[in-house]
Amino acid sequence: MSETDRISGKLRWSKLYTFSCLRPNVLETDGLHSLQGPGFSRVVYCNQPRVHRKKPLKYPSNYISTTKYNIITFLPKAIFEQFRRVANLYFLMAAILSLTPVAPFSAVSMIAPLAFVVGLSMAKEALEDWRRFMQDMKVNSRKVSIHKGDGTFGYKPWQKIRVGDVVKVEKDQFFPADLLLLSSSYDDGICYVETMNLDGETNLKVKRSLEVTLPLDGDVAFKDFTGKIRCEDPNPNLYTFVGNLEYDRQVYALDTNQILLRDSKLRNTAYVYGVVIFTGHDSKVMQNSTKSPSKRSTIERKMDYIIYFLFTLLVLISLISSIGFAVKTKFEMPEWWYLQPQNTTDLYDPTRPGLSGIFHLVTALILYGYLIPISLYVSIEVVKVLQATFINQDLHMYDEETGNPAQARTSNLNEELGQVDTILSDKTGTLTCNQMDFLKCSIAGVSYGVGSSEVEIAAKKQMAFDLSGHNSEIYSASMQNSRAQDSLENSGSDFGKSEIELETVITSKDEKYQKPMIKGFSFVDRRLMDGNWLKDPNVDAILLFFRILALCHTAIPEPNEETGSFNYEAESPDEGAFLVAAREFGFEFCGRTQTKVFIRERYPSSGHPVEREFKILSLLDFSSKRKRMSVIVQDEGGQILLLCKGADSIIFDRLSKNGRMHEESTSRHLNEYAEAGLRTLAFAYRKLEESEYSVWNSEFIKAKTTIGPDREAMLEHVSDMIEKDLILVGATAVEDKLQKGVPQCIDKLAQAGLKIWVLTGDKMETAINIGFSCSLLRQGMKQICITTVNTDLLAQDAKKAVKENVLMQLTNASQMINLEKDPHAAFALVIDGKTLSYALEEDMKHQFLSLAVNCASVICCRVSPKQKAMVTRLVKEGSGKTTLAIGDGANDVGMIQEADIGVGISGVEGMQAVMASDFSIAQFRFLERLLVVHGHWCYKRIAQMICYFFYKNIVFGLTLFYFEAYTGFSGQSVYDDWFMLLFNVILTSLPVISLGVFEQDVSSEVCLQFPALYQQGQRNMFFDWYRIFGWMANGLYSSLIIFFFNLNIFYDQAFRSEGQTADMAAVGATMFTCIIWAVNFQIAFTMSHFTWIQHLFVWGSICTWYIFLLLYGMSSPIISRNAFQILVEALAPAPIYWLVTLLVTIACNVPYLAYLSFQRSFNPMDHHIIQEIKYYKKDVEDQHMWKRECSKARQETKIGFTARVDAKIRQLRGKLQKKYPSLGVQNVIPPS
Amino acid sequence: MNSNVASSSGGGGVDGSSPPRRNSKRPKYSRFTQQELPACKPILTPKWVISAFMLVSFVFIPIGVASLLASRDVVEIVDRYETVCIPEDKRADKLNYIQSTENKTCSRTLIVPKRMKQPIYVYYQLDNFYQNHRRYVKSRSDEQLRDSKNENDTSACDPEDDSNGLPVVPCGLIAWSLFNDTYSFSRNNQNLTVNKKGISWKSDREHKFGNDVYPKNFQNGTLRGGALLNTTQPLSEQEDLIVWMRTAALPTFRKLYGKIEVDLEANETIQVTLQNNYNTYSFDGKKKLVLSTTSWLGGKNDFLGIAYLTIGGLCFFLSMAFTVVYLVKPRRLGDPSYLSWNINPAGH
């Protein structure tokens, strides 16, 4: 930090912040807290970190860890996690029991798959935890300047910081821990803090140090600094702090004003010094962070029920088996001399059939374990990781600007993306960029600025397209009426033309917009630019307007070395946009001292700029209550002016009689701007006489120096006195730039049947503005605003009264909706945070929810992070639907964690939201592709995959059971151990994985063109119980066919012309061949999308089986036992072997094929039709039909452009009908 | 792929100073990663459905007919003898009879119904005999059967593993319960030779039953099971044992006994002299002697043919049904009026 910077920073900043930063010069001794008792035990010795090295003052270090495991705990913890899954626990038991003689198989065939499955899952866990660890390390090793003793500072990583350390944080750095502010580069000890990461608020907050610590403003000052802080224990409350500082044998009270919280950022301040109070996990932000809950998708939860069902089935057939076994053993086995029943062990003891039965139960439970697919979890995990890779790799979701691809951070929610019902969205940073663009203005009743807002452009585009589409609909409906047809045809072609024109206009405009790349300024109008305003008849008003732009603010300029002009550090982005606009108009704000503002005015006539200085006499700053700000300036000529800007309603109330000249036209313009989704402010001024000012000023100073609760009221009163009799100059319209593609994305999502709620920390007006600009609100929508009225009653009564009031508003609104007759009426609910806190209470929340569900859009403003999470929970639990929360800041973390799916915007802000999220995308607009394409695909893939999995295991498991009935229920399986081992692991796993990874019912373009397809997921059409049980029934059928066909064909006769009869190995191998063929054919019928990979896996699996059988047969007979040379010698030369395979494969698949054909011909689903259209290339031949269907495939929405357009079309129809009454009523089709 | 996943997790807003364009994180384009691989997307059009079912029926019905014909060509003589071979006065207590030491020779007369071309296979068929019982199946030692060095390897053979402390070769319940009825055939008082060579799998003889393994301590325990073995012959030549050791899948099974390598004419009478030694009486098991020729499909079994005809017929019916359906109520393929939003405009 250079010396000059320091001097310029040494501005008495408090001058500017007249209201909030005035410091009464009296020590508030009564503010001291008696810090005793539980909760207030923390003692911090400032600048004596040594004291904190040992107990009891040893506090946690600043090292943070968000990992689940460490090297030592990984193995036990991860194994524990794995075996919490019921199925895995079952397989573990089976593996342990397989070491005993009870087991029907060899031990290795039980342990190997389990080890593989568990090992793979654990490897995945380890990888994910490693990534978290690397993220932590990155944070832990950030550097900060720390006092090393003797007044020298040096850089150390964050993790080395200890409680009591003095740290120096520089501009735009994050605070490494919770600090007590001691001093800053400003000599009144204030600093600016951005708490974006904590609460999502973008405006800067002012913190100020205690006066007593102000002298500590240099490195050397800390040489001998000591102090003692007593304060509260670590807690998650961000907005309170209680503590005392003992310094110089005096005790001073500390409050939240002196506390700098970890993960907030130092802004506009060169540096600050602070003492570390809370480190690491003690810091407030870490205390706030909750462990991200592990989320499971709906499908996976449902899958558990299927597993329970199969477990029941398993236990049932095991019981049947063991009862059968006990009966056989008791009554028949004594006669089976060839088993030597008199010499048996407990396992087969005819004298104790009960005991043997119990042993056999264990055997049976292991034997039929194939009903529960051991590889299901691992296959699903593999599939999901691969699906996630595809999401990560999707170039359509890669943001060129920030360089961030989409990222699936947890892979276990992929399919949930296909079932989302409600989206809860943050506003700032998610829907908008939080960047303001000066777009239009109205000066002296004339509107300037021809550029249209993004909203307007997009709306026009959409309208142009839709008009043509809807028009053709009318056209086709009125075929019988030739006269009307002719005229409509004409109008149709007119529309067509106008569409083309509009499109070209828009595209050319788009190109034009590329040129002026001035951030914050998109104003286009030759009348004002390049000094042309001097020729305008209203030149005086325009000059005044520009001066207000340049003078009425609290920003400070920063020279930009690259461009030679200035950057502005403004309190709000609007102000920044005004200053940029003023600069572009030729009124460059170039400097500020404590009492003066310097403007460089450039007139094209004179050539070089004139620097003027204005004396700032007073500054009445902005507050949300006042909704205006004013400066009182004195120009070089001694003229005193009050310049005021504020909300139009406020300004219009304060105009003088002769200041209302342009009121009418200006307010008309303001309405236009607001409709275009712009933020508006009105500008006014007033000339003051010297004497008038000085009288007022003395009052003002008196009010400023008052101490006590009346100060605010007095100041307001004094300000009111001067801010009156204003003369209206004009108004501005600033665009809160929506992120790219947001309105379109919202429109598409709404068409896919998704509901969108906006939860924002912003003011209600801002929220409503944004609602308009992203078409969540529109003109003609009935807005239901629910707010609390301020009551001045006693606290307890007030609460009750307010609550009743809110309840009444809710009931009234519900009634209004119920009574509404017009099917096109749309309602919007706007509710603020304070009211929400009542509405979310237990007794009222269901009323609130039912009201909200009936509204087309819901906007909650001024909500706290916690309320966001509560609203999310309410929607999730109250409606039982899948919710998705999307946000970018730390204030969205709660909501992101609470929702079924959390999506983080990986933009420029901190990483908290992304770290807590399940998916991160760089732009809101990618949400459409994430849900409609990837969600849809993943849902179908996983659903089909799970169904198939159960099918194939039922086929296999039941054949084992049937065979038992023929072996006296002894627990012998007809298949070789190795066949069974390989069945799930190799022979059938790859095709099903390829189904889960590569299946596409329709291509991604079609998914986007037909949002209605998304509803297949919302309605869960592919994983409902009908479908699941259908697949199970199919499995049952196939198992019966496979088993009994084989049994009857290989009954007792010779199976070859050489006279040999089939032994168990031959029957088993043949039956297994049939299973492999049948299940692989089945999956081939299930797939609708074959790339070479699917072909390879499906047909490769069948080949693998033969290759395996061949190789297994060639191995030593000690390994292969009865399967020795079975294929070559016994099976392959026998025609019956091949004939059985063919017969059984076809017989197993005929019903499914018949079902499919039947469904396709009588009850085709949407994707079937679209597949057919694509197959016959009808979309190319008949583009008109294709386009019409695309537009009809939308959900009827009440929000978004489409709704706006629909409303327009209804109007248009009304007009048409009047024009051509012969068309009749029947032709007026409601738009869909 | 994985490296990309790992690398993309970091970064972000932490270090805001880095330049905005970092193309290192840009996913590489490939048709695979963008899920745009060329794919064939077959759909079930009526034409396909009908021709698929038709094709199946056209293939299956001939196969069914051929299988049935093959099965009908096979001549099979089945003679159930477990009761008739017991003298009538002993039939009250068959078990006692079979366990006694008296002569159990029995004569049977078979009449050849049709001309039987050689080779005629001789089988014995047992019923209600659980060769597939787990205890039975596991009670063998392949190691021991294969190599004389492993003769002590009898751990799997419980309970027939040793006799007076000495290992039994071949051990286990399967070998111990070897079938021991014998048959000899004569035609017009002329002996018909039964060839007992080559009735087992070649691989079994050559690789699974060692030619240096001789029976030891077999059947000399307290409990006498089935047949005795010739201790001078290696196991690889004891084909009856090899056949028996291939356990059957079902409790009813046939096993090859031998081959008669002369043609038998229709209505010829065959005299069978059999030694009825094997005890199936304790569990009411039937014993049958089967003489059968084979076709290209093996022995006599109509099931395969019937199943083929059934499935083929079903497919034919389905293809006809679908044809009728498509003719009566055709649906134009890709007809958008079947889309859900057109059928049911209010539904969504």
Side-chain angles (χ1 to χ4, degrees), chain A residues 254-358:
Chain A
L254 299 176
D255 60 30
T256 170
N257 246 331
Q258 286 92 43
I259 303 301
L260 308 172
L261 297 178
R262 185 187 168 119
D263 279 341
S264 47
K265 203 179 196 177
L266 185 65
R267 299 295 300 270
N268 285 2
T269 314
Y271 59 84
V272 293
Y273 290 101
V275 178
V276 176
I277 302 177
F278 296 120
T279 45
H281 290 278
D282 283 351
S283 62
K284 297 218 176 212
V285 65
M286 294 305 287
Q287 292 270 316
N288 251 304
S289 73
T290 42
K291 283 273 175 197
S292 54
S294 67
K295 296 178 187 173
R296 303 187 65 209
S297 69
T298 324
I299 286 192
E300 222 169 295
R301 283 197 294 264
K302 198 164 183 179
M303 195 175 82
D304 280 353
Y305 288 108
I306 306 175
I307 293 207
Y308 294 142
F309 171 78
L310 288 179
F311 256 121
T312 319
L313 187 69
L314 169 68
V315 171
L316 194 74
I317 63 174
S318 299
L319 276 174
I320 293 173
S321 272
S322 48
I323 290 167
F325 177 74
V327 169
K328 282 257 180 196
T329 306
K330 181 160 199 262
F331 297 106
E332 294 187 25
M333 192 165 150
E335 288 147 17
W336 297 341
W337 59 267
Y338 50 90
L339 293 180
Q340 297 197 359
Q342 66 284 10
N343 281 344
T344 56
T345 56
D346 285 341
L347 294 182
Y348 313 93
D349 193 346
T351 58
R352 285 186 291 174
L355 185 69
S356 301
I358 287 164

Side-chain angles (χ1 to χ4, degrees), chain A residues 43 80 110 164 233 279 322 324 350 403 582 592 607 667 679 697 754 830 837 941 1030 1032 1070 1098 1136 1138-1139 1144 1181:
Chain A
V43 180
F80 174 73
M110 292 305 300
D233 287 341
T279 45
S322 48
R592 179 195 283 281
S667 76
R679 291 156 73 108
N697 196 33
L754 290 155
V830 182
S837 64
R941 288 166 178 175
M1032 289 188 173
T1070 313
V1098 173
I1136 205 167
W1138 304 104
L1139 288 180
V1144 171
E1181 288 165 18

Side-chain angles (χ1 to χ4, degrees), chain A residues 400 941 1057 1059 1129 1139 1166, chain B residues 26 35 123 203 294 308 340:
Chain A
E400 294 283 352
R941 288 166 178 175
S1057 55
E1129 193 182 24
L1139 288 180
D1166 294 341
Chain B
R26 185 176 213 275
Q35 308 192 54
Y123 303 93
S203 65
T294 57
Y308 260 105
S340 63

Side-chain angles (χ1 to χ4, degrees), chain A residues 185-197:
Chain A
S185 56
Y186 298 114
D187 53 11
D188 51 355
I190 65 163
C191 71
Y192 295 88
V193 172
E194 185 193 88
T195 54
M196 185 79 191
N197 275 341

Side-chain angles (χ1 to χ4, degrees), chain A residues 571-617:
Chain A
E571 207 186 344
S572 74
D574 302 66
E575 261 181 12
F578 288 153
L579 287 167
V580 171
R583 187 182 70 202
E584 295 305 314
F585 288 131
F587 289 76
E588 188 174 33
F589 166 55
C590 62
R592 179 195 283 281
T593 65
Q594 282 171 35
T595 53
K596 283 176 186 155
V597 167
F598 301 93
I599 309 274
R600 223 176 264 161
E601 297 185 357
R602 194 175 286 130
Y603 300 97
S605 50
S606 63
H608 50 85
V610 191
E611 186 157 320
R612 290 183 200 276
E613 70 173 67
F614 292 85
K615 221 170 152 189
I616 305 283
L617 300 177

